[in-house]
Amino acid sequence: MVDVGEKSETRRVAIASGAISMKPETLAIILAGGAKKGDVLGIARIAAIMGAKRTSDLLPLCHPLSLTRVTVDFETDQKRTCVHCRAQVETVGRTGVEMEALTAVQIGLLTIYDMCKAVDRGMVMGGIRVLQKEGGKSGSWSSLQQES
């Protein structure tokens, strides 16, 4: 692990996003609340939050962090037949929370897959990325800066 002992504690924020594409009928089941395993987006939200909290258990060189806030939002897109996931993770600490935000998104999307795979094994996850980070010595960063 990288030594962060000499770093200053600052407020750290990271926002990540991703999406899962599926058949129109799969999205209809999610929207109607008709999945056999239950409330897909509600359970995926809890799983994503748990994923953020357990990131250091999954990634061998990731520091365990005391998170101060995790929010996970899902947005359905009927035109593209997909579900977008956005996670914001915050802490006050010596290292950033990008990995926790990325893990939250991926676990949320994996949960959607798990809950709907009986009706659609062809779902595809993608576009998983950090959108923004704040805090620390390097300051703020946004993917919008990279696209300009």
Side-chain angles (χ1 to χ4, degrees), residues 13 21 52 90 95 117 127 130:
V13 179
S21 301
E90 300 180 22
T95 189
K117 69 182 181 246
V130 174

Side-chain angles (χ1 to χ4, degrees), residues 14-144:
I15 300 171
S17 69
I20 185 167
S21 301
M22 60 197 65
K23 295 177 186 176
E25 49 271 23
T26 308
L27 184 58
I29 289 169
I30 291 170
L31 292 171
K36 288 184 180 180
K37 290 187 174 184
D39 174 12
V40 174
L41 299 182
I43 294 168
R45 178 173 289 108
I46 296 301
I49 292 167
M50 290 173 63
K53 292 167 58 175
R54 301 291 302 267
T55 299
S56 66
D57 291 336
L58 300 169
L59 301 172
L61 300 178
C62 195
H63 288 38
L65 301 177
S66 177
L67 304 180
T68 57
R69 181 175 186 217
V70 179
T71 60
V72 178
D73 297 304
F74 292 101
E75 182 180 315
T76 58
D77 184 338
Q78 291 185 346
K79 184 176 180 180
R80 293 190 177 108
T81 64
C82 67
V83 177
H84 298 275
C85 178
R86 183 178 181 275
Q88 181 169 326
V89 179
E90 300 180 22
T91 192
V92 175
R94 298 170 194 251
T95 189
V97 288
E98 296 95 314
M99 298 310 299
E100 287 75 10
L102 287 166
T103 300
V105 168
Q106 190 66 65
I107 295 296
L109 297 177
L110 283 168
T111 301
I112 292 170
Y113 186 94
D114 177 57
M115 294 187 71
C116 298
K117 69 182 181 246
V119 295
D120 188 356
R121 294 199 185 274
M123 291 176 281
V124 177
M125 291 168 271
I128 298 149
R129 64 187 185 138
V130 174
L131 297 176
Q132 178 179 331
K133 69 144 280 318
E134 297 174 18
K137 185 177 177 182
S138 63
S140 297
W141 177 89
S142 169
S143 64
L144 297 175

